């Protein structure tokens, strides 16, 4: 394992500057990660170590060609950058490098943009059925290679293999869905007030779009955006997270096999120039739209950078989800849902519960049953069959989770389980933790933890808990449990969020619109509404 002072410094310097807790995104990257992760020929030992690991992992795939350390421009994989530098991808379960990729910059990004621009006229003129067929081919190829794709996710992201396989299938569902929706991109016939005129509105693709994706769902976040963009006839330049680029690269290889034409999809890999590439995509006059999933702080910056070119911007940002358990709830079902909605991917999802509000009459019972379930978790490498929960993505994430727990305990919270890190665990692990007697002055009440910590607050009235739940600048998702039908309607309509789970902890689906309100984002992904982010209306008035 790397345990050098430089390694420690790299992660310490991230602190918690990103409002959502999702570190290492497109901007606000003021820490010296490049000093370790960008390489030249001056670091042959480190590169050799990563190369050996990369070769070993490839040999474990049924199709080793799916694992490539390269960007993708003009239908070709590019294994070098103009700077000659590389950056490392780490296995978060061990903290060791598994690959080194070209650290691309503005030059490669512009090449990808121009390639996409050149491909746009022909691609946008293909029929909906032609685009549908390619997306369906891509969907089938993903399912045929799902085991390999799941392994790649686990190696670079850390989530258990079963969860990774679930992500692959979830990701594939967006290609299936948008392959069908491509044929239903309807316009509108407008009743004309003038007998000598006919009015219609048609929908056309935006053009070249820039896509920037996070590390927590390295497969599904790419497909959710790519599927919609390609379905309507846009071309794409994507920038995956530097922590998890290998999953996106594998998808691009399958896209090439599926028949995606030259230049239609491009991909740049980078760490050192992440901020510059994001800015270039936003400011380029040849890019018509930006779609970003990540922290609220970065989303705001991208929105500002896109203002001068008046781009269409789609943002899925940070959350602070509340999970409310009313006094009439089925406690066992609520605990089942809490385990899923809080601890999935070790708490590293944008719709994970951040605050549990439990009625005072059942708080102790709920806390005890949740503790019992959490203590049955098995934390470890995602490649081990017994593992239920994997590592966090990096040391900075561990430090933020630790700081949230310490802050809660220092301010009077009670520890039910977890909170004590094992010295025998290598990699970036934090034990699943349950806290009770939480107060609104604690950091967990206002900051997205993005880790495996369940903090339980108590409440007494419906009005009180709605005030607590809505007292945040975020509004992505919310959950609650109650058997009272009238209350279910009232609370669902009153929660200031884009998505609500009523008596369920599972709300994500390719057929439903995904997105938030307030500072949790703009626009929707998935569902038929997902096409709206990549299209524009054109009104046509024809005299007769």
């Amino acid at each position: 394992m790397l345990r050098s002072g430089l390694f420690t410094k790299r992660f310490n310097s991230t602190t918690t500057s990103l409002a959502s807790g999702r570190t290492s995104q497109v901007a606000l990257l003021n820490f010296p990660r490049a000093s370790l992760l960008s390489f030249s020929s001056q670091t042959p030992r480190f590169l050799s170590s990563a190369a050996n690991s990369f070769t070993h992992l490839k040999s474990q795939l049924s199709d080793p060609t799916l694992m490539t350390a390269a960007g993708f421009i003009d239908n070709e994989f590019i294994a070098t950058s103009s700077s000659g530098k590389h950056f490392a991808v780490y296995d978060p379960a061990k903290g060791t490098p598994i690959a080194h990729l070209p650290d691309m910059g503005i030059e490669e990004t512009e090449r990808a943009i121009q390639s996409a621009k050149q491909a746009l006229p022909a691609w946008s003129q293909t029929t909906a059925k032609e685009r549908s067929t390619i997306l369906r081919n891509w969907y089938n190829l993903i399912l045929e290679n799902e085991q390999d794709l799941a392994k790649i996710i686990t190696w670079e992201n850390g989530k258990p293999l079963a969860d990774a396989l679930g992500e692959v299938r979830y990701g594939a569902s967006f290609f299936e869905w948008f392959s069908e929706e491509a044929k239903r991109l309807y316009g509108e016939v407008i009743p004309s007030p003038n007998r000598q005129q006919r009015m219609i509105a048609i929908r056309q693709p935006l053009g070249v779009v820039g896509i920037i994706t996070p590390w927590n769902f390295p497969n599904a976040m790419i497909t959710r955006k790519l599927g919609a963009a390609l379905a309507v006839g846009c071309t794409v330049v994507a920038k995956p997270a530097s922590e998890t680029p290998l999953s996106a690269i594998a998808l691009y290889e399958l896209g090439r096999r599926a028949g995606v034409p030259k230049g239609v999809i491009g991909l740049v890999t980078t760490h050192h120039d992440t901020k510059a590439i994001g800015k270039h995509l936003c400011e380029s006059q040849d890019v018509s739209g930006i779609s970003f999933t990540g922290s609220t702080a970065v989303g705001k910056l991208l929105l500002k950078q896109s203002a001068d070119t008046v781009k269409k911007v789609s943002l899925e940002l940070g959350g602070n989800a509340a999970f409310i358990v009313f006094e009439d709830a089925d406690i066992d079902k609520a605990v089942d849902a809490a385990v899923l909605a809080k601890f999935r991917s070790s708490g590293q999802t944008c719709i994970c519960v951040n605050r549990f509000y439990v009625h005072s009459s059942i708080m102790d019972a709920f806390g005890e049953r949740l503790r019992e379930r959490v203590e049955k978790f098995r934390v470890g490498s995602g490649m081990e069959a017994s593992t239920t929960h994997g590592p966090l993505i990096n040391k900075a994430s561990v430090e933020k989770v630790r700081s949230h727990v310490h802050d809660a305990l220092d301010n009077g919270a009670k520890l039910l389980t977890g909170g004590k890190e094992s010295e025998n665990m290598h990699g970036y692990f934090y034990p699943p933790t349950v806290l009770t007697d939480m107060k609104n002055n604690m950091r967990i009440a206002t900051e997205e933890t993005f880790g495996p910590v369940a903090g339980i607050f108590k409440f007494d009235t419906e009005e009180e808990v709605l005030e607590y739940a809505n007292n945040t600048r975020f509004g992505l998702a919310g959950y609650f449990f109650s058997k009272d039908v009238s209350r279910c309607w009232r609370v669902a309509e009153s929660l200031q969020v884009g998505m609500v789970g009523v008596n369920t902890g599972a709300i994500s689906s390719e057929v439903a619109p995904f997105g938030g309100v307030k500072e949790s984002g703009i626009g929707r992904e998935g569902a038929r509404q997902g096409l709206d982010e990549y299209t524009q209306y054109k009104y046509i008035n024809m005299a007769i």
Side-chain angles (χ1 to χ4, degrees), residues 478-526:
Y479 310 83
F480 69 91
F481 273 71
S482 173
K483 295 177 182 177
D484 184 329
V485 175
S486 295
R487 170 181 278 163
C488 286
W489 280 114
R490 286 196 308 272
V491 175
E493 293 176 352
S494 297
L495 286 173
Q496 296 171 7
V497 295
M499 300 172 286
V500 181
V502 184
N503 294 322
T504 181
I507 61 174
S508 297
S509 171
E510 75 278 10
V511 307
F514 190 104
V517 299
K518 298 196 278 192
E519 294 184 19
S520 285
I522 300 171
R524 293 296 181 267
E525 294 188 314

Side-chain angles (χ1 to χ4, degrees), residues 404-432:
H404 276 199
V405 172
H406 287 178
D407 170 77
L409 294 174
D410 289 344
N411 284 281
K414 179 182 176 183
L415 181 67
L416 295 185
T417 191
K420 299 176 182 178
E421 297 167 69
S422 171
E423 296 181 357
N424 298 323
M425 296 289 288
H426 300 294
Y428 312 124
F429 293 95
Y430 194 87

